[in-house]
Structures are given as structure tokens and as C-alpha cells.
Amino acid sequence: MFFAKRFWMALTLSSCLVYGQVDRANLNGTVTDSSGAVIRDAVVEVVSRVTGLRREVPTGTAGAYNLTGLPIGTYDLSISHPGFETSKIEGVELSVGQTRTIDAKLSVTGVASYVDVQAAAEVLDKSDAQIGTVIETQQLRDIPVNGRNWATLMMLAPGAINVGGGSQTSIRFVGRSRDDNNYTFDGIDATGVQEQGQKADARLNISLESIAEFRVNSAVYTAEGGSSGGGQVNAVSKTGTNEFHGGLFEFLRNNVVDARSPFDPSKIPPFRMNQFGASFGGPIVHNRTFFFMDYEAIRQSLGQTLIGFVPSAAFRARAVATSPAIKPLIDAYPVGRTRTNPDTDQLTVQGSNSVREDSGMIRLDHQFTSNTSMFARYNIDDAFIDKPNGALGSRNTTAIRPSNLALQLMHIFSPSVINETRAGMNRSAYHHPTVGQVPANVTVPGFDDLSANALDVEVGTTFSAIDNLTVIRGRHTFKMGVDIRRIRLNNTGNAIDFSSIAYNSLDDYVHNVIDSVGVDGALGIGGMRRTLWMGYGQDEFKVRPNLTLNIGLRYEYYTVVNEVKGRTAVVDVLGCGGFCPPGTPMYAPDRNNLAPRLGLAWSPEQFKGKTVIRTGFGIYYGANQNDDFSDPHETTAARYSLSSAVVTNLSFPITPFLGRLQAEGASPKGIDRYRRDLYYENWDFQIQQQLPHSFVGQAGYIGSEGHNLFDSRATNLLDPVTRKRTLPQFGQFGVKHNDGNSSFHALQASLQRSFTKG
């Protein structure tokens, strides 16, 4: 604890702080003569082919150079020293988050001369132990993906696991959950705020046309990455260049060449999807000021064959004759058309799923001087989705509007000291009403569920303040810093009164014997607030030209969530004997999140730079979903539940049981007040081998263990002997804990070829 406080104080008192140049690239190497002796004070210069950006550094006493914080793109590299030939390497490609190593050997000469070399595609990672990949511009442009949803391409990353439709809500990495992923856009938080991924099926929350490329780090990344224990996904926006460029596009999909599904009628349901857009960018002032902007939209109308199962005429007659009280529920089911069995008919209807989505981005880059530059970028997506909620007639509509703002200022104090300041805003406004057929959700085994009206509102906003510092000293590249993220989540799980009724079997339904009933009162919108304080220090130590060590330490502190107006009801069975006094914090803070990171990359000399052995270990903390901490606010609304285990004659209508619900059915939602933040331990051992024709093979082992993972279980259970509960004024209710564990071990192998020569 003492060490954690000292470490945090040292970071916060530093005059220049850093979160990490996650949207930029680095270039390093060692310069030697023909005998292998290092050359000191050689001049290393890079020039961007598209913006004219020029950076220059000298080599140090060990002959090493390091150019950090370079925008992604293509550069020409030159290395010179008096008395030696100047080496020029053209077409050096730098990708997001990449540290590329290019060593140079200069020959002695009596006069000025040049050696021009075309840069080969970089296929080996010689600087760290992280497991990840870059999705390049050409992949973004050429690989067809459904709806041009960029997140689908995360499946190309090592360790990616798709558990659904290939989107932010269904892809996870190396044994961690989807809620452990962290998304940034130009280094600014780009999560869905309430959950990590965007909640709705909005495909253009970041338009594919806006992204230059993105990197996915699946595991064992350096101390620069954090705020979650899972994959780090960092997208970079496109920029303008010294040449005007742009384009128009439209993609059309329809039912003309669709195949008929086994459930469709003879005529295939209509389908039409138009996806169109435009982009344009270029210089405002040559080599100085640039702009880029784009627009993309989706218009979709999709016919769907929907199949449901409803009571047959015979079942309806028998149920109403036996229990006349359930006639309103029976009448709420549409009439089926095909007999499935004596009790069930199949209902086949044609539904329509419509989507309207508009996305846009604008970015401005400006070079004040050769040492000072800035950019500003804003993007927004507006989507409305209207689709059927099954075959019985209810509908779901979703309106979501993600937006993101990034501001950045970079200043080069000297070739070895670079500072970068960022500020940003990330917002996701989500409204999800359901139009139902009945006053309460009704669940009966064998029939489709009847739905009630519901309204889910989630408006999340994060504000980020970031400052970057990189200091180069000989063979050491030091990075240190902090990321402060303020989270504002205004949400409600049920903005209108909501009830649910569950029957255990068809026979119970006929006899009107309810298994369980729940009643939730309307809940106002709560203002949940928290702040993430995250700092780190890191040293990339080039021990030898072919051996690099990454040694880092990260510290993260997540403040206890609070409701802005104190509208919470904290429940603790043991500590408070039920509800705690007003003002009680939701849980105790965890200030012990020290996360060491260690990585090694070694390219043995006997393999002539074509083999790299990489290994590393790290601890990675996570802050859980922000929505995981909304329960004490949700408990302020009336929440009741009863089951047949307590009331043996539960039946519809439930009005006669409201008194017992209020007396012994209170069903709050609790959080373990002594919870601790989740964390993962990751380690790996990887071997990369350069192969002919620009192929690279990789094989290795990755291991991961998770601790203090999210869990939820029921408490205040009914004692089977005494038939009593610990808290008689409450019914059974759930409490969220962080006491789960996980274990993941894998052998991963891959074969990859980078784009070369078109």
C-alpha cells in the first residue's frame, strides 16, 4: 500500500505525464560500420511521403536511434555521417502501435555517396512480447464485411473468439470476457460507456471510411495499455495529405439472388439495403494544414419470416373452461395456422426490419512549427432500428447516437524529449422502447413469451484528459504518465412499471398455478458517476541491437461509483441486516491495483535476424462494466417477487397477492460491499520466423489466469427445514460479487503475409 501511494504521488507530481502513444508508431535501430562497430552521432532523418513531416535524431553512444510518436504512414529514411556513405531506405511503412526496428550498416567512403534501398515489408516484432496484429488500410478496403462494420475484422487478431455475429458485442480474446475489451479512437475512449461494446447493432458507430487502420493487442501488452483486463483495440482516423483525394461509393444488396430458407413462403421476403457515402481530404496549406471528412449511411428494409408457437383452439377452450381468470392472457396470443400437437399451433407471419443510419467524421491537422503540431477530430453516428420482437406482435425500436471528440497537441522539446497532450469526449445515447401486447411478461413452456411495454434509457459520457512524455537516454526509452477518465452514466433499467409472470408447465397454466411473479416499479434516471485514475512508468531497454527488454509498472485506481443525488439503497445481509443507512457507500474502494509488466524480444545472431523469440508476463486490472454498479439505484424503486415455494396458491390476476409481495417479497439488487477489482495474469512464449516470399510463421504458448472475476448469485434463500429466510422482510434476491476465477491455456500458430508490391 505504501509503495502504491509513493508511485502514484511521483506520477501525479511529474510536470509532463503520459498515457501512451497508442495511435502512433515508433522507429528504432542501431547504426554500425562494416566491421560491426557502432557509429555515434550519425544523423537519422525520416520524411513523410504524404504530408512532408520531417523528424531528425542523432545516434547515441551505443549507435542507437529512436524516433517515437510518428503518425502512421509511409516514410523515407536516410542515415548519414561524415566519412560514410549515406544510406537511404525508401517506403518504410509504419502501422498503429508498431515499434519497427531498422538497423543500418554504413560503408566508409572518401566522398559523399548514397546507397538507396527499398524498404522490405516488416514482418517480425523485435521490440516486445505482446500478442496482437494490425488491420491495415488495404484489408479495411478490400475485405468484404457485413454492413461494413469495422469491428468484424477483429476476428483476424490472434486469440479472437467469436461467440455471435462478429461485432463488438460478440468478440472476446484469449479467455477473457467481452466486457474486458477496451476500445479507443485516436487514443480517446470509444467504448459504449454502459458496457464496453456499443449495445445496439449499429454498424457505423465508427464508419469504416473514417479508419486508416487499427491495432488489436490480445494479451501480454506493455504498461501503456490498460483500464480493462482484456483486448486493447486502438483505431486511428484518416488524415488529409498534400494531394486532394476522395471518392464516392454505393453498395446495393437485395433479395434477387437470395436463397429461400426452409421457413420462407414460396415468394422470398423482400430485402433491400443501400449503403453509400463519400470522403474528401487534402491540403489547406501545403506541408502545413490538412483536412479530411467523410459521410456514410445505411438504408435497409428486410423482410423476415417469423415463426412462433401459440395455444391451439382446443387448449384455449380447455384453459378458459378450467380457469376463466386467465382468459385475457389466452386471448393475447394470435391464432396459429398449423397444428404442431394437440396443445400447440405454429404461427408464421411476415415481419419487417428497418434500419436508418448516418455517420460522419471531420478531422483537421496543423503543423505550427517543425516541433509543434496538433489535430482535432469529431465523429458522430445516428441510428434508428425498428424490428419485430418475435412473431406475436411486439416490436423493439432502438435509437442510438454514439459520438467522439479528440484534441491533440504534440511538442518536440528536443530529439530525445517529446510531449503530447490529449483531451476528448466519448458519448453514447441509447433509447430502447419495447411495445408489447399485455400488461405483464408471461412465460409458459411450449409457447412464445408474451411481452409487456418496457423502456430502457442509457446515456453515457466519458471525458478524458491525457498527457504524454517520452524521454530517450542512450539505449533506454522512458515513458511515464497518467490517463484521467471521468464517467457519467445516466440510465434506468425500467422507466415504466413492469411485471412478469411465469408458469412452470402447460398443466399449471391450465389450472392457473403461477410458479413466480415479479413486480418492478418505474425507476427514474439515475446519475452514476466515477473516475478512473491510471498511471504508469516504462523503460524500453535495448540491451543489444538484437535484444530488447520492456520493463513497466502500471497503477490503476477506480473511484467508488456514486449516484449524483444520493438516490441509492445499499443492502448488506451481514453488515447492515438489510438496508444500510442512507449515504452508505456502495462498496469499499480497492487501492491495491499495482500491475507489473515484463517483456523480452531476442533475435539470435546465428539466425541472421530472421528469427525472434519473445516472452513476457503482466498483470492487467479491469473496472467491470459501469452498469454493474447501477443496482443500488435500481433498488430505490419498488422491487418485489414471490414464488410458489412461499405462496402455494399464486394465481392470475396477482392483485390479491400485492400485500404479501410488499410484506415479504422485497427483492433488492445488491453488491458485495467488500468486493475487489478483477485482474488477469498473462504470460506467453512465442517464436516468429521469417519465411520466403514475405511470409512469417509464428507459434507459441499463451497462458492466462483471472481472479476476482464478476459473479452473481442468489441470497436470502428459503431454509428447507424451517421454511424461513435470514431476512424475513425480504424475498430471495441477487448479490453481485467479484470472486470468480478463470484459467486459459493455448497453443497458437499462424501464417501471415504482408501486402507487398501491390
Side-chain angles (χ1 to χ4, degrees):
M1 179 67 74
F2 176 76
F3 180 76
K5 291 180 179 178
R6 291 289 299 274
F7 177 77
W8 178 243
M9 289 176 63
L11 286 176
T12 54
L13 292 175
S14 174
S15 61
C16 294
L17 302 173
V18 58
Y19 166 70
Q21 294 159 351
V22 295
D23 67 324
R24 292 180 174 254
N26 308 306
L27 179 65
N28 66 26
T30 303
V31 180
T32 60
D33 62 20
S34 56
S35 69
V38 299
I39 300 177
R40 179 180 179 179
D41 294 328
V43 177
V44 181
E45 182 186 65
V46 293
V47 179
S48 169
R49 286 187 169 183
V50 295
T51 66
L53 174 71
R54 185 182 302 270
R55 288 274 299 277
E56 180 181 294
V57 296
T59 57
T61 55
Y65 71 91
N66 197 334
L67 287 153
T68 66
L70 292 170
I72 64 173
T74 305
Y75 292 83
D76 292 330
L77 170 68
S78 69
I79 304 171
S80 61
H81 190 280
F84 292 88
E85 292 180 331
T86 296
S87 177
K88 285 191 174 182
I89 304 172
E90 299 180 342
V92 177
E93 297 283 350
L94 295 180
S95 300
V96 53
Q98 179 187 31
T99 297
R100 182 168 180 178
T101 300
I102 297 182
D103 298 324
K105 185 172 290 187
L106 304 184
S107 300
V108 177
T109 181
V111 295
S113 61
Y114 296 90
V115 177
D116 291 334
V117 179
Q118 190 69 29
E122 177 69 10
V123 292
L124 299 180
D125 186 349
K126 300 179 180 180
S127 62
D128 54 54
Q130 65 189 12
I131 297 174
T133 193
V134 174
I135 309 302
E136 302 171 357
T137 301
Q138 192 165 348
Q139 292 170 289
L140 291 169
R141 184 178 66 244
D142 293 347
I143 298 177
V145 294
N146 185 16
R148 288 168 53 84
N149 185 348
W150 69 275
T152 303
L153 296 174
M154 295 191 302
M155 277 302 301
L156 297 178
I161 301 168
N162 182 16
V163 297
S167 65
Q168 288 189 31
T169 59
S170 64
I171 296 177
R172 56 190 179 88
F173 300 94
V174 292
R176 279 78 57 83
S177 78
R178 292 164 292 175
D179 295 331
D180 292 321
N181 295 336
N182 183 51
Y183 300 93
T184 63
F185 191 28
D186 292 326
I188 298 298
D189 174 45
T191 64
V193 185
Q194 172 148 313
E195 286 90 12
Q196 292 299 99
Q198 293 291 348
K199 193 163 185 175
D201 186 24
R203 287 167 280 191
L204 304 179
N205 55 85
I206 302 176
S207 167
L208 195 65
E209 200 67 15
S210 301
I211 300 175
E213 61 185 38
F214 69 91
R215 169 176 284 274
V216 179
N217 288 331
S218 304
V220 201
Y221 38 87
T222 64
E224 296 176 70
S227 82
S228 71
Q232 302 284 316
V233 184
N234 307 313
V236 179
S237 59
K238 290 182 178 178
T239 66
T241 67
N242 275 324
E243 294 182 358
F244 289 104
H245 57 89
L248 299 169
F249 66 89
E250 178 170 7
F251 300 97
L252 168 66
R253 293 169 58 187
N254 57 37
N255 56 283
V256 174
V257 293
D258 279 359
R260 177 183 172 276
S261 85
F263 308 105
D264 285 336
S266 57
K267 184 178 180 180
I268 297 174
F271 171 46
R272 185 175 184 88
M273 176 179 169
N274 293 85
Q275 191 159 4
F276 53 91
S279 63
F280 186 61
I284 297 175
V285 179
H286 189 76
N287 277 357
R288 191 176 182 88
T289 308
F290 311 93
F291 75 94
F292 181 84
M293 55 186 177
D294 69 76
Y295 167 75
E296 185 168 2
I298 295 176
R299 300 292 184 268
Q300 174 181 294
S301 178
L302 171 65
Q304 294 177 295
T305 300
L306 305 172
I307 295 176
F309 296 94
V310 297
S312 65
F315 183 91
R316 292 169 187 265
R318 185 170 81 255
V320 172
T322 306
S323 305
I326 67 171
K327 186 177 186 301
L329 302 182
I330 291 293
D331 290 345
Y333 291 100
V335 176
R337 300 179 181 178
T338 305
R339 178 61 51 84
T340 300
N341 58 54
D343 294 328
T344 308
D345 285 350
Q346 178 177 305
L347 174 68
T348 303
V349 298
Q350 295 301 308
S352 177
N353 182 336
S354 65
V355 176
R356 176 202 53 76
E357 191 167 2
D358 297 273
S359 177
M361 185 199 80
I362 184 168
R363 172 165 170 156
L364 178 69
D365 291 76
H366 180 65
Q367 189 84 18
F368 293 101
T369 68
S370 59
N371 292 328
T372 305
S373 62
M374 61 79 67
F375 78 78
R377 187 264 308 146
Y378 178 73
N379 69 287
I380 187 170
D381 179 34
D382 184 85
F384 183 79
I385 304 168
D386 183 2
K387 61 183 180 180
N389 184 28
L392 303 193
S394 68
R395 295 194 69 82
N396 282 328
T397 59
T398 300
I400 185 170
R401 182 178 289 180
S403 58
N404 194 276
L405 170 69
L407 304 171
Q408 182 246 40
L409 178 68
M410 174 176 281
H411 182 69
I412 302 171
F413 290 98
S414 72
S416 60
V417 180
I418 300 173
N419 187 75
E420 178 190 40
T421 300
R422 291 178 188 264
M425 179 276 297
N426 177 48
R427 182 177 174 85
S428 182
Y430 174 85
H431 294 77
H432 177 214
T434 298
V435 179
Q437 317 100 307
V438 288
N441 274 10
V442 179
T443 302
V444 182
F447 301 148
D448 280 26
D449 292 350
L450 293 170
S451 299
N453 292 340
L455 176 59
D456 183 11
V457 178
E458 306 163 8
V459 181
T461 308
T462 63
F463 301 93
S464 297
I466 302 166
D467 198 82
N468 296 349
L469 178 70
T470 302
V471 179
I472 302 169
R473 291 290 182 267
R475 293 178 292 175
H476 298 268
T477 300
F478 298 103
K479 298 180 180 181
M480 65 196 75
V482 70
D483 176 4
I484 303 171
R485 186 182 304 176
R486 179 63 174 172
I487 298 168
R488 299 176 57 180
L489 175 60
N490 300 327
N491 67 340
T492 177
N494 50 291
I496 57 179
D497 291 327
F498 181 82
S499 299
S500 62
I501 298 169
Y503 291 89
N504 204 34
S505 66
L506 291 180
D507 188 62
D508 284 351
Y509 195 23
V510 169
H511 293 89
N512 194 16
V513 178
I514 291 177
D515 180 59
S516 64
V517 60
V519 177
D520 294 350
L523 175 70
I525 293 178
M528 317 310 294
R529 304 289 186 265
R530 73 190 305 202
T531 304
L532 309 187
W533 301 84
M534 299 170 287
Y536 80 93
Q538 179 175 298
D539 177 17
E540 183 180 292
F541 177 28
K542 207 166 187 64
V543 183
R544 299 180 59 188
N546 64 341
L547 175 62
T548 302
L549 284 178
N550 272 281
I551 305 169
L553 181 65
R554 187 176 180 89
Y555 178 73
E556 299 187 350
Y557 171 60
Y558 321 127
T559 63
V560 175
V561 177
N562 70 287
E563 204 283 326
V564 68
K565 294 184 179 180
R567 296 168 293 186
T568 59
V570 177
V571 62
D572 184 347
V573 175
L574 298 178
C576 300
F579 286 119
C580 297
T584 300
M586 295 183 186
Y587 52 91
D590 187 352
R591 295 187 172 93
N592 300 293
N593 297 349
L594 280 171
R597 314 279 172 87
L598 177 65
L600 177 149
W602 176 43
S603 179
E605 293 180 359
Q606 55 266 43
F607 297 117
K608 300 180 180 179
K610 295 186 177 182
T611 303
V612 179
I613 298 171
R614 303 186 298 124
T615 184
F617 170 84
I619 295 178
Y620 305 85
Y621 284 88
N624 276 65
Q625 275 189 10
N626 292 313
D627 189 40
D628 287 341
F629 304 100
S630 298
D631 291 354
H633 170 67
E634 295 180 16
T635 300
T636 60
R639 295 181 54 84
Y640 303 107
S641 65
L642 282 178
S643 70
S644 57
V646 177
V647 181
T648 56
N649 62 338
L650 272 178
S651 60
F652 180 84
I654 64 172
T655 306
F657 303 97
L658 292 179
R660 293 200 65 174
L661 274 167
Q662 296 171 359
E664 54 187 285
S667 180
K669 300 174 75 173
I671 298 174
D672 178 8
R673 293 180 61 219
Y674 305 99
R675 63 171 295 281
R676 288 293 176 261
D677 294 322
L678 68 88
Y679 70 95
Y680 291 93
E681 297 175 276
N682 293 170
W683 58 92
D684 71 341
F685 182 84
Q686 305 282 328
I687 298 178
Q688 278 189 325
Q689 177 64 48
Q690 186 172 332
L691 302 171
H693 307 294
S694 299
F695 281 94
V696 60
Q698 177 170 292
Y701 160 73
I702 177 172
S704 175
E705 286 189 357
H707 306 284
N708 298 340
L709 304 183
F710 176 80
D711 186 18
S712 181
R713 53 183 179 269
T715 190
N716 204 42
L717 303 177
L718 196 66
D719 189 294
V721 177
T722 65
R723 308 299 296 172
K724 294 182 179 180
R725 301 184 189 275
T726 304
L727 302 175
Q729 73 273 30
F730 293 91
Q732 174 181 311
F733 61 92
V735 176
K736 293 179 178 177
H737 298 263
N738 275 70
D739 55 6
N741 295 284
S742 70
S743 180
F744 178 89
H745 303 275
L747 172 66
Q748 295 184 343
S750 66
L751 182 67
Q752 181 177 345
R753 185 183 189 276
S754 297
F755 290 112
T756 57
K757 300 179 181 178

